[in-house]
Amino acid sequence: MSVVDWSRWQFALTAMYHWLFVPLTLGLSMIVAIMETIYFRTRDRRWLAMTKFWMILFGINFAMGVATGIILEFEFGTNWSNYSWFVGDIFGAPLAIEGLLAFFMESTFIAVMFFGWNKVSPRFHLASTWLTGIGASISAVWILIANSWMQYPVGMEFDPAQMRNVMSSFSEVVLSPVAIHKIIHSIASGWTLAGVFVIGVSCWFLLKKRHHDFAVSSIKVGGWVGLVGLLVTLWAGDGSALDVAKYQPMKLAAMEGLYKGQHGQAITAFGIINPAKNAQNDEDEYLFDISIPYGLSFLATHDPHAFVPGINDLIEGRYITAAGDTVNTVSYAERIALGKQAHEALRAFDKAYAAGDQAAMDAAKADLRTNYKYFGYGYLDSPYDAVPPVAMTFYTFHIMVILGSYLLLFFVVVLFVVYRKPAWLGKKWLLWIGMLSIAAVWICSEAGWITAEVGRQPWIIQDIMPTRAAISDIATSTVITTFWMFAAVFTALLCAEMCIMGRRIAKGPEDPGSTDK
Amino acid sequence: MNKIVRFYVEGFRQMTTGRALWALIIVKLLIIFGIMKLFFFPDILSRDYSNDSERAAAVRSTLTSR
């Protein structure tokens, strides 16, 4: 593997480990805040015991996750130095805001949350618990804005003298539709994940015939938070699908393994990709598939009869109108040529800059601006280099959708059982499903990120910079060493968290004692 | 100020599960900053060039030659 591949694997490993902790922090903080609110309103100490139990699990997860994201920033400076410089303050500003918010908001209120029982007023304590959760979500918002900009770069102008993209509109960066949908989708998915976690752990207590009332009340809160989170995630996911169809159509085509699109395009509900298929042959796309008619057209545009382009349509720049006419847009071969012209303009600028020739610099800058939107294509050798890994994108997308659909059913069943058929909570098989669903929700969450990040390959910044251009001049052996170092350290950390958390869960909640009333 | 310091000190003193967690956090931070950052993750452009103008020229040269 090349240094680019090792660096990508390293970044993926770090980001995926980091994302094991983040969604639980986001969701569990909300669940704890809701439980403490109920305690605050009722003064029922059972809710206090519940709040404290889940708060400790939140604390364990928070402690394990903290600083795992810092390593991603190290990797930007070492492995991806060209990228880090090139994105300039657009990426730096949200990350700096995130760092400040995370430090001041979370570290202040999390201390009150854990140390403040009986030392601050109940109202102030409750406010701190909510602000810890809100602070964690706001931190996530800035990271997601930075990520969204890479998927849909807006609100910037490229300055060849600084060799950086300079932010021209903060609001365009922060309020881009891609950012809005991604923020809502990711944060709400954290509520879903935490809901399943609370239900799964509570099922374990029921299986062991311990803390029955505690478990049932926890399942009710987890069930509602999870269901609301999932419905919001689905709604935002629908918005993200429209964004992908509009701004990253190649990713959408890869998500569906679609090579030749049509009007009223069906969506594959389940399928097995033909490994022999690629954009340069006429093999069948699937070995086996079950499709829903008009599904992809509806998902991509909300019009069941709309045209959805496939991978080959996009490469050839072919779009078919509603009237059936074929319209040629900019093919990928043309994009590569325009990208190379942009590179030539940058070289001309470099020479003029060295010579101090302002007129030549202005002329080169104007040429560069004309084709800048295709700048990244100039690094590609062939139009087929712009096709992401189809199988991985397809399977992870479908795993996410299938598990997401399962979780919707899961929450509905859980809430039905806990309110209407509580006797079923004694059925072992049901409790085992509850516990095993913890693994399902984490797989679903990670699969979503793999779809988003692998599906946008080869781009590190959509259309502007491919990963191969972003990489630093570093030795492959260095990246291999740190890759395995991370793998060892993070795996040890994960084992440590699971041990500490397992021990704390086994201990169970404190005795609630009598009520205040 | 004293009150705030006392708040934190007492809080840490009363921790149970938290002590093991803090030990893990400290070990983790030592590995991340004391080993990884120090020996394996230099900021390449900051290390190799003394000012922003040189860094911009280096990136321009790299991105026009790839």
Side-chain angles (χ1 to χ4, degrees):
Chain A
M1 286 203 299
S2 68
V3 68
V4 179
D5 294 328
W6 272 109
S7 294
R8 283 185 55 210
W9 272 108
Q10 186 181 64
F11 200 88
L13 174 83
T14 323
M16 286 178 72
Y17 261 105
H18 185 53
W19 189 251
L20 290 174
F21 304 109
V22 175
L24 187 60
T25 297
L26 297 176
L28 206 49
S29 59
M30 288 296 139
I31 288 177
V32 168
I34 289 168
M35 288 174 171
E36 191 177 340
T37 305
I38 299 173
Y39 165 66
F40 181 79
R41 294 172 73 94
T42 61
R43 290 291 190 267
D44 182 337
R45 292 187 71 84
R46 286 173 299 183
W47 284 98
L48 176 63
M50 213 178 300
T51 304
K52 284 188 174 179
F53 175 78
W54 294 110
M55 192 181 277
I56 288 170
L57 299 193
F58 164 82
I60 293 168
N61 181 65
F62 185 88
M64 291 295 102
V66 79
T68 51
I70 296 268
I71 295 162
L72 297 169
E73 293 188 33
F74 294 173
E75 289 170 24
F76 284 136
T78 303
N79 301 25
W80 308 101
S81 60
N82 293 320
Y83 161 82
S84 297
W85 186 264
F86 192 72
V87 296
D89 59 345
I90 295 177
F91 210 77
L95 291 186
I97 297 171
E98 187 272 338
L100 285 172
L101 269 170
F103 184 78
F104 288 111
M105 204 161 168
E106 289 174 57
S107 59
T108 303
F109 293 114
I110 207 167
V112 177
M113 189 170 144
F114 282 99
F115 302 157
W117 296 108
N118 305 321
K119 287 182 185 150
V120 297
S121 72
R123 191 179 295 273
F124 183 63
H125 192 278
L126 176 63
S128 298
T129 305
W130 275 107
L131 286 168
T132 299
I134 292 167
S137 297
I138 293 174
S139 290
V141 163
W142 294 105
I143 299 290
L144 294 165
I145 286 170
N147 179 277
S148 302
W149 182 83
M150 293 157 76
Q151 315 267 352
Y152 177 49
V154 286
M156 88 293 188
E157 264 187 47
F158 180 62
D159 178 1
Q162 292 185 57
M163 209 48 207
R164 282 184 143 158
N165 286 284
V166 179
M167 194 184 293
S168 58
S169 168
F170 183 70
S171 61
E172 269 188 57
V173 173
V174 171
L175 300 174
S176 89
V178 175
I180 299 291
H181 289 128
K182 189 177 277 285
I183 288 165
I184 298 170
H185 191 66
S186 304
I187 292 177
S189 75
W191 304 347
T192 307
L193 184 140
V196 177
F197 176 77
V198 167
I199 293 168
V201 172
S202 302
C203 285
W204 183 79
F205 282 120
L206 292 174
L207 198 67
K208 295 284 171 190
K209 301 193 185 307
R210 292 170 55 193
H211 310 291
H212 181 272
D213 292 349
F214 161 88
V216 170
S217 298
S218 294
I219 287 174
K220 284 179 181 170
V221 177
W224 281 115
V225 170
L227 181 62
V228 170
L230 186 59
L231 291 174
V232 175
T233 304
L234 290 174
W235 173 78
D238 177 59
S240 284
L242 296 177
D243 295 337
V244 170
K246 199 168 173 186
Y247 306 120
Q248 297 175 297
M250 182 61 88
K251 184 197 277 187
L252 182 75
M255 282 157 65
E256 271 302 299
L258 179 69
Y259 286 82
K260 193 174 181 314
Q262 60 182 31
H263 290 280
Q265 178 64 50
I267 193 168
T268 308
F270 178 80
I272 296 171
I273 289 271
N274 180 358
K277 173 66 182 169
N278 63 47
Q280 297 174 76
N281 66 31
D282 291 325
E283 298 274 341
D284 288 338
E285 293 166 346
Y286 310 106
L287 295 176
F288 168 78
D289 70 296
I290 300 168
S291 297
I292 302 168
Y294 305 104
L296 190 60
S297 289
F298 186 77
L299 183 82
T301 63
H302 284 182
D303 172 2
H305 303 289
F307 176 74
V308 179
I311 290 168
N312 286 105
D313 301 311
L314 290 163
I315 287 174
E316 289 156 24
R318 184 173 58 229
Y319 182 84
I320 301 168
T321 65
D325 300 323
T326 300
V327 176
N328 282 317
T329 58
V330 185
S331 72
Y332 278 33
E334 289 169 298
R335 290 178 194 216
I336 289 172
L338 293 170
K340 291 193 186 299
Q341 281 180 33
H343 289 200
E344 205 48 59
L346 184 60
R347 281 188 205 101
F349 179 89
D350 193 31
K351 275 185 194 159
Y353 189 71
D357 183 346
Q358 189 60 47
M361 276 160 60
D362 290 343
K365 207 170 170 178
D367 285 348
L368 177 57
R369 191 171 293 148
T370 309
N371 295 315
Y372 184 66
K373 64 178 174 179
Y374 301 120
F375 187 81
Y377 289 89
Y379 294 102
L380 306 184
D381 300 322
S382 141
Y384 302 106
D385 289 351
V387 180
V390 175
M392 188 182 281
T393 311
F394 173 87
Y395 286 123
T396 52
F397 173 63
H398 285 78
I399 286 170
M400 179 189 73
V401 171
I402 290 168
L403 289 177
S405 307
Y406 159 74
L407 290 171
L408 183 60
L409 180 69
F410 173 77
F411 285 122
V412 170
V413 170
V414 163
L415 288 170
F416 173 76
V417 168
V418 82
Y419 283 103
R420 296 293 173 95
K421 300 279 182 193
W424 291 8
L425 290 173
K427 291 183 189 297
K428 279 189 179 176
W429 62 269
L430 198 62
L431 299 174
W432 270 105
I433 287 176
M435 290 192 296
L436 292 173
S437 296
I438 294 178
V441 75
W442 251 289
I443 292 169
C444 181
S445 189
E446 295 281 3
W449 271 111
I450 297 171
T451 305
E453 300 306 302
V454 174
R456 72 172 153 116
Q457 294 303 315
W459 307 113
I460 192 164
I461 308 169
Q462 184 70 36
D463 297 344
I464 309 281
M465 180 180 256
T467 43
R468 68 167 77 163
I471 196 78
S472 309
D473 286 321
I474 49 171
T476 311
S477 57
T478 311
V479 186
I480 294 173
T481 307
T482 49
F483 174 89
W484 290 114
M485 197 184 279
F486 280 147
V489 170
F490 280 1
T491 305
L493 275 176
L494 190 63
C495 292
E497 174 183 11
M498 288 170 78
C499 280
I500 295 173
M501 201 172 261
R503 277 212 300 263
R504 192 60 193 81
I505 290 170
K507 216 170 151 187
E510 289 171 8
D511 179 12
S514 59
T515 61
D516 285 356
K517 278 183 177 172
Chain B
M1 191 66 192
N2 261 353
K3 266 182 147 179
I4 295 172
V5 172
R6 211 164 45 236
F7 176 81
Y8 276 90
V9 170
E10 281 176 19
F12 282 118
R13 201 174 285 153
Q14 286 164 10
M15 282 194 306
T16 49
T17 308
R19 286 194 185 164
L21 286 178
W22 274 107
L24 268 171
I25 289 172
I26 290 165
V27 169
K28 179 170 64 174
L29 291 177
L30 277 175
I31 293 172
I32 290 175
F33 289 100
I35 300 174
M36 287 181 172
K37 178 64 183 162
L38 209 58
F39 298 107
F40 295 99
F41 285 95
D43 187 321
I44 287 188
L45 292 174
S46 298
R47 184 194 65 185
D48 295 350
Y49 303 97
S50 55
N51 58 54
D52 281 359
S53 174
E54 285 183 10
R55 287 176 199 122
V59 174
R60 194 161 44 241
S61 164
T62 307
L63 291 186
T64 49
S65 60
R66 282 193 170 164

